[in-house]
């Protein structure tokens, strides 16, 4: 009978990351799943017939052929190029088994039009999400964020990152409402307005992470596993 140091049940992202890290540290890991596919609730279902069986509906239509060529993500999501998850994948050497594709752009829909999200000075100058004066203010705010260092008070410009709220920070740069919405939700990726009345350090870090991710690939800060999300779960588990 084989013996293992650790048994991991399930192949969701948390389980796969834990399995990969423990394997990397020399543990003998048994990683199992009751399903016939990897990924848990965030799985990429393939072939297409499996997706229809999962939701107990007839299909797929006969007009759709080659079901094995389909990977349908149950919970579609992108990775920030310098985000924590990508750092874990690099640390566990999963990138030996996994290919990523750079998402071609980051956009928002506003006032009946699709706009590219600005995150660099050049983007800000060409964006039609902002007026001329807004662009100058956004540029100054972006310059402040990219030079901000928690260990160097000289870069704080009288901003206390633990006490100054994000609303107060935006007010210092006199940002308009349109710029605040783009910065808070499309760049810092906050899902509600509550961040405005919280200390600004988290928002500063989020904007910096977005910009650093963008600088890796120029066109977009986002990466996506070439064969669906479940492919990176499988690769993490195999490392």
């Amino acid at each position: 009978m084989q013996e293992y140091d650790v048994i991991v049940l399930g192949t969701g992202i948390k389980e796969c990351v834990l399995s990969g890290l423990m394997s990397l540290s020399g543990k003998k890991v048994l990683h199992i799943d009751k399903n016939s596919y990897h990924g848990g609730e965030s799985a990429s279902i393939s072939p297409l017939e499996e997706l229809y069986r999962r939701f107990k509906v007839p299909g797929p239509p006969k007009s759709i052929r080659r079901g094995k060529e389909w990977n349908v993500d149950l919970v579609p999501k992108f990775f920030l190029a310098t985000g924590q998850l990508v750092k874990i994948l690099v640390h566990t050497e999963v990138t030996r088994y996994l290919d990523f594709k750079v998402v071609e752009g980051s956009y928002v829909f506003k006032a009946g039009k699709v706009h590219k999200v600005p995150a660099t000075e050049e983007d800000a100058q060409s964006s039609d999400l902002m007026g001329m004066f807004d662009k100058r203010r956004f540029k100054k705010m972006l310059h402040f964020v990219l030079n901000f260092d928690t260990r160097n008070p000289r870069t704080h410009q009288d901003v206390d990152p633990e006490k100054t709220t994000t609303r107060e920070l935006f007010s210092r740069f006199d940002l308009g409402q349109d710029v605040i919405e783009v910065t808070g939700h499309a760049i810092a990726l906050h899902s509600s307005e509550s961040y405005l009345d919280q200390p600004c350090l988290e928002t500063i870090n989020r904007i910096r992470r977005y910009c650093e991710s963008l600088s890796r690939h120029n066109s977009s800060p986002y990466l996506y596993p070439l064969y669906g999300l479940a492919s990176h779960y499988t690769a993490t588990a195999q490392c």
Side-chain angles (χ1 to χ4, degrees), residues 192-230:
S192 71
E193 300 295 320
S194 61
Y195 78 96
L196 287 168
D197 297 310
Q198 296 174 355
C200 62
L201 181 59
E202 173 65 18
T203 297
I204 289 174
N205 289 336
R206 284 172 174 243
I207 295 172
R208 178 193 293 273
R209 188 180 306 120
Y210 184 99
C211 295
E212 289 174 348
S213 296
L214 183 68
S215 68
R216 288 284 182 92
H217 303 287
N218 296 322
S219 61
S220 169
Y222 299 113
L223 302 175
Y224 189 79
L226 194 57
Y227 300 105
L229 286 176

Side-chain angles (χ1 to χ4, degrees), residues 45-87:
I45 304 299
S46 181
L48 192 59
E49 291 77 10
E50 180 64 37
L51 180 69
Y52 282 81
R53 283 194 293 270
R54 175 183 172 86
F55 291 100
K56 300 178 181 179
V57 294
K62 293 182 180 180
S63 58
I64 299 179
R65 301 178 180 179
R66 299 180 180 178
K68 291 183 178 181
E69 295 184 359
W70 291 75
N71 288 284
V72 181
D73 291 331
L74 298 182
V75 184
K77 61 180 70 175
F78 296 146
F79 303 155
L80 280 169
T82 59
Q84 190 62 37
L85 180 55
V86 172
K87 291 178 181 178

